Amino acid sequence: MAEVACPIGTLSYTVTGSDEPGCMPMVDSVFIFVGTAVCMLLIPGGLGMLYGGWGGKRSVLTMMAICYTGAVVISIQYFLFGFSLSYSNTGSSFIGDFSNALLINVNAEPMAVAPALPASIFMLFQCMFAAITPVIIIGGGAERIRIWPMTLFLLLWSTFCYDFFIAWMWGLNGWLKKFGELDFAGGTAVHVASGAAGLALAIFLGPRQNKNVYPASMKDVLLGTGLIWFGWFFFNAGSTLALNFQALNAAVVTHFAACAGCITYSLMGYIHHKKITAECLVNGVIAGLVGITPACGYVWPASSLAIGALTAVCCYCWTHFARPKIPVDDALDTFGLHGVGGIAGAVLTGVFATSGVTELGGYEIPGGWVDGHWIQPLKQLVGVVVIGLWSFVVSYALLFAIDKIPGMKVRLAPEHEVNGSDHAQMGDM
């Protein structure tokens, strides 16, 4: 092999079929590697504390345990074939193949979808998305779900829903990507998908026997939300797959959308109930974060304020006016925040997206309404409808099938639900 040194500050790798090494920026790899570690913290530390604190004191450990078991099992699935189905270079427009199963050829040489990163670092970063997305779903069945049937469901949902959605939206040949839907960091593929699945779970299980259960720890809810807010910077900014000005702008708009969502949701709560509640503060932050996720790589800070505020309005109207009138016990508002927020964020992306932001990352898009591209919101709706319906139908079918397996009833027995899922399943409180 000819000895060709890469410049200082770059990483070298062996190019397949070539005698010369390739070079890639080191700073991008370090950025994504650090972001991966932070995103991992969100699963047990952020989402686990949030869900554990929101539920009743008799189901705290169960909710946190499913966060762990789901993330672990899905990570193994990602190693076996999940990553390959999502991002393989030779996949179709509908789903990937098994060319990278068992992480074959996933090493220092970049993937086609991430040419500036070692494939191994790109894989690990995307594994965090794959691990946390299905776990969001369990909020729809809080206080009445069993650990192992739910873990099996999350594994199957990741295979038959999430891997497909990622292949469509972010895969090399994805049909939604070619169709022109814009989803920078997972508004449709993550939040609409998990929200629809959470709704299916809530409908399948039916209502809790006792809905009037106080949250186990609002302190944990607030702290968990803070950790989620912290990690969301890396989920959104890291989706540029490079440390550039587009990534910095993505971090900026993420923060201000969360702030706008928090203020708007809290003001609506104060007008409605004459109180400033922790529930409004937390839900407002999450609504703003969910709303900005599909748009973070496409909009300027001024637009992020509008997206955060409008998404919070939509989520508040659902959770406080619409949901109480329907017989669905979405215990932790999984659909109300992630589903409704994801839909609002996707549509608003079609309104506010502009090519000027993507030029910071070295490429252009047609833009949304602000750029005179009037069709973009309709393209956004196509992705929302297809992914939302697919996720809901497949989720319900998977729950129905798992529930028929001997010993794998998804819902707790009535007496165990009354006594508490922690004591019944884990022998602890």
Side-chain angles (χ1 to χ4, degrees):
M1 178 189 298
E3 293 293 334
V4 178
C6 287
I8 296 175
T10 62
L11 299 173
S12 63
Y13 62 92
T14 302
V15 180
T16 302
S18 174
D19 290 333
E20 296 185 359
C23 305
M24 68 183 80
M26 182 182 296
V27 65
D28 295 340
S29 297
V30 172
F31 173 57
I32 299 302
F33 178 75
V34 172
T36 299
V38 172
C39 291
M40 177 61 206
L41 179 64
L42 264 69
I43 302 172
L47 196 61
M49 291 185 70
L50 175 67
Y51 277 2
W54 258 135
K57 65 180 180 180
R58 296 181 178 184
S59 63
V60 174
L61 297 180
T62 299
M63 295 300 289
M64 297 191 77
I66 298 175
C67 288
Y68 273 84
T69 59
V72 168
V73 170
I74 292 163
S75 294
I76 297 298
Q77 182 262 15
Y78 213 63
F79 163 78
L80 294 174
F81 55 81
F83 176 72
S84 188
L85 291 180
S86 301
Y87 288 108
S88 59
N89 292 336
T90 53
S92 70
S93 61
F94 193 70
I95 191 64
D97 55 28
F98 292 97
S99 60
N100 297 115
L102 304 178
L103 301 187
I104 295 172
N105 295 324
V106 179
N107 41 51
E109 186 172 0
M111 303 286 293
V113 291
L117 292 175
S120 56
I121 292 178
F122 171 72
M123 177 279 301
L124 196 59
F125 180 66
Q126 295 301 329
C127 183
M128 299 303 104
F129 278 81
I132 198 172
T133 300
V135 175
I136 295 172
I137 298 168
I138 68 174
E143 300 179 39
R144 59 204 192 276
I145 49 179
R146 296 178 63 217
I147 295 174
W148 292 120
M150 201 64 216
T151 301
L152 176 60
F153 167 77
L154 297 182
L155 171 65
L156 295 176
W157 186 89
S158 184
T159 303
F160 294 105
C161 290
Y162 181 80
D163 293 342
F164 279 82
F165 303 154
I166 296 304
W168 299 351
M169 194 66 251
W170 296 334
L172 185 63
N173 302 305
W175 73 270
L176 272 178
K177 179 180 179 179
K178 293 181 177 179
F179 176 71
E181 198 215 345
L182 299 175
D183 184 0
F184 193 77
T188 308
V190 173
H191 295 291
V192 171
S194 59
L199 181 63
L201 176 62
I203 293 173
F204 179 82
L205 292 175
R208 289 165 288 176
Q209 295 200 34
N210 183 12
K211 293 185 181 181
N212 299 317
V213 175
Y214 287 105
S217 173
M218 288 307 298
K219 177 183 70 176
D220 285 355
V221 170
L222 289 164
L223 181 57
T225 302
L227 290 172
I228 289 173
W229 193 343
F230 169 60
W232 218 296
F233 281 110
F234 283 95
F235 268 124
N236 283 1
S239 292
T240 58
L241 304 179
L243 183 56
N244 54 30
F245 288 112
Q246 187 183 19
L248 300 179
N249 185 75
V252 170
V253 301
T254 295
H255 181 68
F256 286 108
C259 293
C262 182
I263 291 173
T264 304
Y265 203 105
S266 298
L267 284 176
M268 293 185 71
Y270 185 79
I271 294 170
H272 191 194
H273 299 292
K274 304 305 178 184
K275 294 180 181 179
I276 299 175
T277 65
E279 177 261 340
C280 286
L281 293 172
V282 166
N283 284 357
V285 168
I286 294 175
L289 291 172
V290 170
I292 197 61
T293 293
C296 62
Y298 307 123
V299 300
W300 296 114
S303 298
S304 71
L305 295 175
I307 292 172
L310 292 171
T311 302
V313 170
C314 294
C315 291
Y316 190 94
C317 289
W318 174 267
T319 55
H320 288 266
F321 299 126
R323 182 175 60 80
K325 297 180 180 180
I326 60 177
V328 177
D329 185 12
D330 181 6
L332 305 186
D333 286 321
T334 300
F335 180 75
L337 293 176
H338 297 275
V340 173
I343 294 169
V347 174
L348 291 171
T349 300
V351 174
F352 292 107
T354 176
S355 60
V357 178
T358 58
E359 289 173 359
L360 299 175
Y363 64 98
E364 294 185 14
I365 59 171
W369 272 12
V370 295
D371 279 354
H373 192 222
W374 313 112
I375 197 66
Q376 192 59 45
L378 295 179
K379 290 187 175 183
Q380 300 298 105
L381 282 173
V382 170
V384 165
V385 171
V386 172
I387 287 179
L389 285 177
W390 179 293
S391 180
F392 181 87
V393 172
V394 172
S395 297
Y396 199 93
L398 289 174
L399 290 165
F400 182 84
I402 292 170
D403 201 59
K404 298 299 181 183
I405 301 173
M408 294 294 281
K409 295 290 291 184
V410 178
R411 181 163 182 161
L412 282 169
E415 63 274 16
H416 291 162
E417 189 176 340
V418 171
N419 294 330
S421 62
D422 288 353
H423 179 72
Q425 298 188 81
M426 306 185 72
D428 205 347
M429 293 292 288

